[in-house]
Amino acid sequence: MAKDFVTRAENYSEWYNELVVRADLAENSAVRGCMVIKPYGYAIWEKMQKALDDMFKETGHQNAYFPLFIPKSYFEKEAEHVEGFAKECAVVTHHRLRAKADGTGLEPDPGAKLEEELIVRPTSETIIWDTYRGWIKSYRDLPILCNQWANVVRWEMRTRMFLRTAEFLWQEGHTAHETLDEAVEETKKMLEVYAYFAEKFMAMPVLKGYKSPNERFAGALDTYCIEALMQDGKALQAGTSHFLGQNFAKAFDVKFLSKENKLEYVWATSWGVSTRLMGALIMTHSDDEGLVLPPNLAPIQVVIIPISKGEEQKAMVDKEAERLCAELKAKGISVKYDNRDSYKPGWKFNEYEFKGVPVRITLGARDLEQGLVEIARRDNLTKETLPVEGLTDKIEKLLEDIQANLYNKALAFRENSTREVDSWEEFLVEIEKGGFLSCHWDGTPETEEKIKEITKATIRCVPLDAKEEEGKCIFSGKPSNKRVVFARAY
RNA sequence: CGGGGUGUAGCGUAGUCCGGUUAUCGCGCCAGUUUUGGGAACUGGAGGUCGCAGGUUCGAUUCCUGCCACCCCGACCA
């Protein structure tokens, strides 16, 4: 067990916070609610970015960049959008500082007050749609399929590293289409991209679905989402894809001439995932020994740790390590040879275990003389001794096994934590245990609101694959034709 | 913003009630030596405006007043 490390059972949120810091992923900064993402954590984010960015490009999108600052008046143009974001906006009011009269520091120069305040973007729909107006005149200009990688600011009251920070990194796709159908298709397509990424790269099973009106994005007609289940039984919204209808086109007057020579408003979507995925990744797989990373996102997939006595043995081990590194790299496997002599092997074992490195090779002189090495896997903490001959093929296979095992384990957990609940009494009991509760709901915001008030549970989504089924709302008893998923959420 | 709590070295802490020489200990850090199969040992060393500002006092980390910051519980969180 990792030294002085709190277990999940003892205190789940402390476990999470400590893990983030001790695994060297991130730390709190001097700025309230903002974190510093450290190199090891950022390397994971970069791998996420790369995989997602490739998929965005494959589906026809291009990257662009829009300003950090948004004129306040833009926000006023879409009523629901303002409503949703106004309470958490950082506002720029001045563009210059001056020395205070009493010499105690600096203050905003009143002479440099902005005519119109600028909002630090909490999301970019408004500035982007203001820009799109100039780009779109004809149906021939459509579709526009843009994505941007950016930082955004939402002045949250309470923050937690990666899960909810005042500033976070994300990507936001903003597309413009000729028809409603095309926009809806795009919304769903990107949801599929997110789900694929979550499952294949993060080894995290997700529910695909759409939000109830209460949980929709401010300004959207429909919000599709992927929902994941964390080990403490709470749900985490891992990505959203919004069908925005013509709301933003109307607010920003974005019209085009159709083939029929009619002036029409453009149809819109937006979709995003953020550094919150880092939190999801951590909470899906990690254990009481520290971080567990799926091979497809691990910055270091294999670490090699040497053990030797004396110069002669050291030379032998070094030579073998070099050969192994070259072979693994040739297969596209990222490998680190940690030959620092300032730490002992046992220390290194713990270090890499805590940091979630999927596979460790212990290259010991004693075993090596017999042509053997020890392989340890992080996911199930098992070890075996194998011939060094033909090792790289086995490692390659092992990484695939680990990736699959992590997914299967997470899937089994989710399935065991998902159950159908058909009465209010049962709901009150089951919601305390955590997990996804599949229930009938009468479809009204009032019922959802009541349930939230009483139990803190919300509708995470209406699953896309929900079956048609006669039933009664668990709260009101009114008729319902499909089950929705309730959970307490992050 | 309401309720509760905490500020002493990079981290974790003792001391403060009842003011008094050089502020305690552990981890970590630096140097050297010996070590290396699950978080090495020894020796030496560096590191402190005791959250900030006033006040009381011969003397304040300790007492008083004000302020600030952070944490927890609520409120808030497409």
Side-chain angles (χ1 to χ4, degrees):
Chain A
M1 155 107 85
K3 204 195 264 176
D4 302 323
F5 185 49
V6 68
T7 64
R8 287 163 293 178
E10 280 164 3
N11 186 337
Y12 193 82
S13 76
E14 199 183 325
W15 167 83
Y16 174 83
N17 289 330
E18 217 178 298
L19 178 53
V20 167
V21 172
R22 286 181 52 168
D24 227 15
L25 301 175
E27 62 190 33
N28 271 314
S29 72
V31 183
R32 195 201 79 100
C34 297
M35 65 179 167
V36 173
I37 304 176
K38 298 186 74 177
Y40 190 60
Y42 202 79
I44 299 169
W45 175 241
E46 283 180 315
K47 294 204 87 168
M48 288 183 169
Q49 282 185 302
K50 175 76 171 69
L52 285 164
D53 202 61
D54 286 349
M55 287 191 272
F56 297 158
K57 304 250 169 83
E58 272 166 36
T59 45
H61 302 86
Q62 292 178 299
N63 285 330
Y65 188 79
F66 296 86
L68 168 67
F69 301 123
I70 299 177
K72 190 182 71 180
S73 58
Y74 287 21
F75 263 88
E76 293 159 356
K77 292 186 181 177
E78 215 292 328
E80 279 182 44
H81 197 64
V82 192
E83 171 90 28
F85 288 107
K87 284 176 287 183
E88 49 190 45
C89 284
V91 185
V92 180
T93 55
H94 292 75
H95 63 82
R96 193 193 306 143
L97 295 169
R98 67 174 189 190
K100 283 191 194 165
D102 62 5
T104 57
L106 298 169
E107 65 183 2
D109 184 340
K113 192 166 189 311
L114 293 178
E115 193 72 19
E116 178 179 0
E117 291 99 330
L118 295 170
I119 312 299
V120 180
R121 64 183 164 214
T123 180
S124 302
E125 276 77 5
T126 57
I127 184 93
I128 287 177
W129 279 87
D130 187 71
T131 306
Y132 280 180
R133 185 175 56 246
W135 294 4
I136 299 167
K137 297 293 168 216
S138 144
Y139 72 91
R140 295 179 206 275
D141 297 323
L142 295 170
I144 292 177
L145 305 173
C146 277
N147 175 64
Q148 86 165 340
W149 289 97
N151 59 338
V152 288
V153 168
R154 296 178 188 179
W155 212 268
E156 302 286 356
M157 300 207 141
R158 204 157 173 179
T159 59
R160 295 190 70 190
M161 283 190 283
F162 292 118
L163 294 175
R164 175 170 288 111
T165 46
E167 179 194 14
F168 57 92
L169 307 183
W170 77 346
Q171 59 69 217
E172 46 181 328
H174 295 273
T175 67
H177 306 267
E178 207 179 325
T179 64
L180 177 151
D181 287 350
E182 194 184 301
V184 169
E185 192 190 326
E186 166 79 4
T187 312
K188 291 180 177 168
K189 183 197 285 175
M190 298 321 288
L191 185 78
E192 292 299 331
V193 166
Y194 288 155
Y196 182 86
F197 172 77
E199 299 188 349
K200 295 297 177 201
F201 287 85
M202 297 176 69
M204 179 176 79
V206 290
L207 278 185
K208 288 179 281 191
Y210 54 91
K211 292 291 189 187
S212 62
N214 278 3
E215 298 282 324
R216 246 177 230 155
F217 175 76
L221 267 54
D222 250 320
T223 287
Y224 291 82
C225 61
I226 51 172
E227 290 285 326
L229 186 64
M230 303 295 102
Q231 292 182 62
D232 62 346
K234 283 169 85 174
L236 184 76
Q237 177 177 299
T240 46
S241 183
H242 314 292
F243 168 59
L244 303 173
Q246 293 173 312
N247 286 353
F248 285 89
K250 284 177 180 165
F252 288 88
D253 197 33
V254 186
K255 288 183 265 194
F256 69 100
L257 269 176
S258 69
K259 283 176 195 143
E260 292 76 31
N261 200 34
K262 284 202 299 201
L263 207 50
E264 291 180 28
Y265 285 110
V266 177
W267 297 88
T269 83
S270 71
W271 28 273
V273 294
S274 71
T275 37
R276 179 178 243 208
L277 289 179
M278 294 283 294
L281 185 72
I282 295 162
M283 289 199 292
T284 299
H285 304 299
S286 300
D287 60 23
D288 296 341
E289 311 302 320
L291 189 63
V292 175
L293 292 173
N296 289 350
L297 290 176
I300 301 167
Q301 292 171 310
V302 177
V303 65
I304 301 177
I305 297 182
I307 301 170
S308 62
K309 277 182 192 164
E311 288 304 315
E312 197 180 318
Q313 284 195 348
K314 185 172 181 302
M316 175 182 71
V317 170
D318 277 346
K319 194 173 160 224
E320 186 57 28
E322 228 165 83
R323 193 187 63 76
L324 267 177
C325 281
E327 265 189 49
L328 288 165
K329 276 180 191 157
K331 284 185 176 289
I333 295 168
S334 64
V335 54
K336 174 171 175 166
Y337 179 42
D338 186 352
N339 61 353
R340 290 176 299 174
D341 59 6
S342 46
Y343 295 100
K344 294 184 70 174
W347 193 92
K348 293 177 188 171
F349 294 167
N350 285 289
E351 166 83 355
Y352 291 103
E353 251 160 43
F354 204 91
K355 288 184 147 189
V357 174
V359 174
R360 180 184 77 228
I361 302 175
T362 306
L363 213 52
R366 201 174 65 202
D367 286 345
L368 208 51
E369 276 161 3
Q370 303 166 62
L372 298 171
V373 293
E374 185 188 76
I375 306 297
R377 50 191 283 183
R378 178 63 183 89
D379 61 334
N380 59 15
L381 295 167
T382 58
K383 291 188 276 200
E384 61 180 327
T385 302
L386 294 174
V388 70
E389 195 64 40
L391 188 68
T392 47
D393 287 337
K394 283 181 186 144
I395 299 279
E396 190 177 34
K397 175 72 170 43
L398 182 59
L399 289 170
E400 285 166 21
D401 284 355
I402 292 173
Q403 182 77 27
N405 179 46
L406 287 173
Y407 178 79
N408 291 334
K409 215 159 112 183
L411 183 62
F413 172 77
R414 188 189 74 186
E415 282 175 353
N416 288 331
S417 309
T418 302
R419 52 242 187 247
E420 293 190 349
V421 166
D422 292 310
S423 76
W424 181 238
E425 292 70 34
E426 204 188 337
F427 187 91
L428 290 172
V429 173
E430 292 301 318
I431 198 69
E432 295 300 327
K433 298 179 189 164
F436 285 149
L437 303 186
S438 180
C439 310
H440 281 283
W441 165 56
D442 64 19
T444 68
E446 295 75 30
T447 295
E448 183 178 5
E449 200 53 50
K450 280 269 172 51
I451 293 174
K452 184 179 177 182
E453 253 171 56
I454 299 167
T455 66
K456 291 185 183 166
T458 50
I459 297 174
R460 300 321 302 157
C461 69
V462 182
L464 293 186
D465 59 5
K467 290 185 301 255
E468 286 286 321
E469 171 187 306
E470 291 302 309
K472 283 181 184 168
C473 173
I474 46 154
F475 188 76
S476 68
K478 289 179 192 159
S480 147
N481 64 357
K482 64 172 73 152
R483 287 175 185 273
V484 300
V485 173
F486 280 89
R488 286 187 180 145
Y490 274 99

